[in-house]
Amino acid sequence: MNKKTKRKYWIAAIIWFVTMVLANSINEYFHASPLIRGITVGFWVVAAYILFKDLMQPRIGRRKDEEEDK
């Protein structure tokens, strides 16, 4: 993984974490119902999967196969 890609993932992780903490704080401040809190947690789990799915499921082998085909 090159330096530019690492930087992109770190920036995305920091933004994801800060917004998650902010949303949780807002839920706590307004005493949101458990349903709203559950929806919020579900949203952040899906967002994390979308942002970081390449880190969780690397395609290293597939890239090698694609390069050999070219």
Side-chain angles (χ1 to χ4, degrees):
M1 186 180 300
N2 61 18
K3 195 172 186 178
K4 186 177 180 180
T5 305
K6 283 183 183 179
R7 185 178 305 134
K8 180 182 83 167
Y9 282 120
W10 272 109
I11 290 170
I14 291 167
I15 291 170
W16 176 85
F17 182 74
V18 168
T19 55
M20 182 186 65
V21 169
L22 181 65
N24 190 28
S25 298
I26 291 170
N27 280 343
E28 287 290 326
Y29 180 76
F30 290 113
H31 303 290
S33 69
L35 176 65
I36 300 299
R37 291 180 187 191
I39 290 171
T40 304
V41 169
F43 172 78
W44 291 117
V45 168
V46 171
Y49 177 76
I50 291 169
L51 285 172
F52 307 114
K53 66 182 172 185
D54 287 341
L55 294 176
M56 292 185 276
Q57 300 170 357
R59 298 185 196 133
I60 295 170
R62 293 184 205 158
R63 288 187 187 147
K64 288 181 182 177
D65 292 340
E66 290 172 359
E67 289 174 0
E68 290 175 0
D69 291 341
K70 291 180 182 177

